[in-house]
Amino acid sequence: MSDNKTSITEIKNVIKKFVDDREWDKFHSPKNLSMSVAIEAAELMELFQWLSSDESKKMMRKGKLRDDSIDEVADVLIYAISFCNENNIDISDAINQKMKKNEKKYPADEFRGKF
C-alpha cells in the first residue's frame, strides 16, 4: 500500500476486516474509540516530550524514534478510521466540510505566517 495508490475506502476496508475477523466491533463504541484515538495520540506525544523542536526534527529523519512515531501515527489513524467505520462517517466529506469551516475561520490573508 502507498498513499498515491490506495484509496480511503481500501484502507477503511482493511481495518474493518481486521476488526470483523476478531469480532471486536462489540467493543467499538464511540466512547471507546474516541478514547483510543486520544490515548494513541498521547503515546505519540510522549516520544517527543523532552526534546526541543530542532531535536525532534533531527530524530525524525531516521532511527528508532522515527520507527516508533510511524507505529503511533498508524495507531491514531487506525482508531480514527475505526471510529468512522463504526459511525458511518465519510472521511472525505468530513475533511471537506471541516476545511471549508477552517477557511472561513482562518482566512489566508489574515493568518499567513501567524498562529
Side-chain angles (χ1 to χ4, degrees):
M1 288 181 151
S2 67
D3 286 353
N4 61 352
K5 295 180 182 178
T6 307
S7 71
I8 292 173
T9 298
E10 289 172 307
I11 294 169
K12 287 177 83 171
N13 288 340
V14 166
I15 294 168
K16 182 172 180 6
K17 182 180 181 333
F18 181 88
V19 171
D20 289 348
D21 287 351
R22 288 152 184 80
E23 297 180 355
W24 286 352
D25 57 317
K26 61 187 168 194
F27 306 113
H28 283 196
S29 67
K31 177 193 81 68
N32 289 348
L33 289 170
S34 66
M35 291 175 69
S36 295
V37 170
I39 291 163
E40 295 300 339
E43 290 178 8
L44 176 61
M45 290 170 27
E46 184 179 28
L47 296 173
F48 298 94
Q49 185 173 8
W50 304 112
L51 300 177
S52 69
S53 291
D54 287 341
E55 289 171 328
S56 68
K57 288 177 185 178
K58 181 180 176 186
M59 293 184 77
M60 278 303 295
R61 292 185 193 129
K62 64 180 180 177
K64 181 169 175 18
L65 181 77
R66 180 177 175 77
D67 294 342
D68 291 346
S69 296
I70 290 168
D71 285 346
E72 296 305 337
V73 165
D75 286 340
V76 169
L77 293 169
I78 289 164
Y79 279 119
I81 292 169
S82 290
F83 185 94
C84 293
N85 279 343
E86 291 298 318
N87 294 286
N88 299 314
I89 295 171
D90 184 290
I91 294 171
S92 294
D93 285 345
I95 291 170
N96 285 330
Q97 287 174 25
K98 183 60 178 177
M99 290 307 296
K100 286 177 186 174
K101 290 177 184 178
N102 286 343
E103 290 201 11
K104 287 180 183 175
K105 187 174 181 180
Y106 305 105
D109 59 336
E110 291 179 37
F111 287 88
R112 189 170 288 108
K114 301 176 189 175
F115 282 110

